[in-house]
Amino acid sequence: MADKEQNKHSRREQILQALAQMLEVNPGQRITTAALAREVGVSEAALYRHFPSKARMFEGLIGFIEETLFSRIRLITQSSATRVRQCEQILTLLLAFVEKNPGMARILGGDALSGETERLRIQVNQLFERMETQLKQLMREAELTDGIRTLIPPTACANLLMSVAEGRIRQFVRSEFKRRPTEHWPEQWPKLAESLFKRQAASPAAL
């Protein structure tokens, strides 16, 4: 029984990996279950024994993205780095992840979900909103723990930084994965941070 369950899980993983690979090597194209079945080497009926619909396959990939990103974000926020540094690390994590996984970039950019069920786009939108909320929380904590405040409200600041990251992901997809999301990022982040964050002046000593 255990071997049967393990084989079933292995086949599910194989299907998801094949879907991610097809998204990467067929930029701009919609993936059909017939093509996916050929890629995996099984019948369409066999696909549906593991996933009741193609939407569930995409949900599996989105779940993988969420688990990968937020498990690492938890580690980042538990570190001793300043909150601004943690914001940088979270954004760099996102950009590096999509660069390493171009097929996932198509999902996060929305391109791969065109024509699919609306709940998939809602799920991706919630992922980005969750990241934005994490950034906003770190910015609010920065003033208390590190003496660093945002020059615009934290809500607007977090939204701006996520917009930059999302724009780089879309550029990556639009260029058919030629413009890397991390390209120029080491030079750009310091300028963004300089324009958005300011260390508070030390309070004068009490007389």
Side-chain angles (χ1 to χ4, degrees), residues 76-97:
I76 290 172
T77 58
Q78 291 167 5
S79 73
S80 59
T82 66
R83 301 304 189 270
V84 172
R85 173 64 174 153
Q86 289 177 13
C87 288
E88 177 191 3
Q89 290 173 334
I90 288 172
L91 292 167
T92 302
L93 167 67
L94 173 61
L95 297 178
F97 174 81

Side-chain angles (χ1 to χ4, degrees), residues 112-131:
L113 304 180
S114 177
E116 302 295 340
T117 179
E118 183 183 2
R119 74 171 183 272
L120 296 173
R121 293 187 291 277
I122 292 173
Q123 192 176 352
V124 169
N125 187 53
Q126 289 173 338
L127 183 153
F128 279 114
E129 287 181 348
R130 186 178 169 192
M131 292 192 75

Side-chain angles (χ1 to χ4, degrees), residues 151-194:
L151 294 175
I152 57 177
T155 298
C157 189
N159 177 259
L160 174 59
L161 290 178
M162 284 305 301
S163 296
V164 171
E166 288 188 60
R168 298 186 73 83
I169 293 170
R170 290 179 181 275
Q171 187 179 60
F172 184 48
V173 173
R174 190 177 66 246
S175 69
E176 297 189 350
F177 313 132
K178 295 180 180 65
R179 295 293 302 273
R180 296 182 298 107
T182 60
E183 185 180 7
H184 307 306
W185 181 244
E187 296 84 23
Q188 292 170 340
W189 169 256
K191 293 300 181 184
L192 284 169
E194 181 182 332

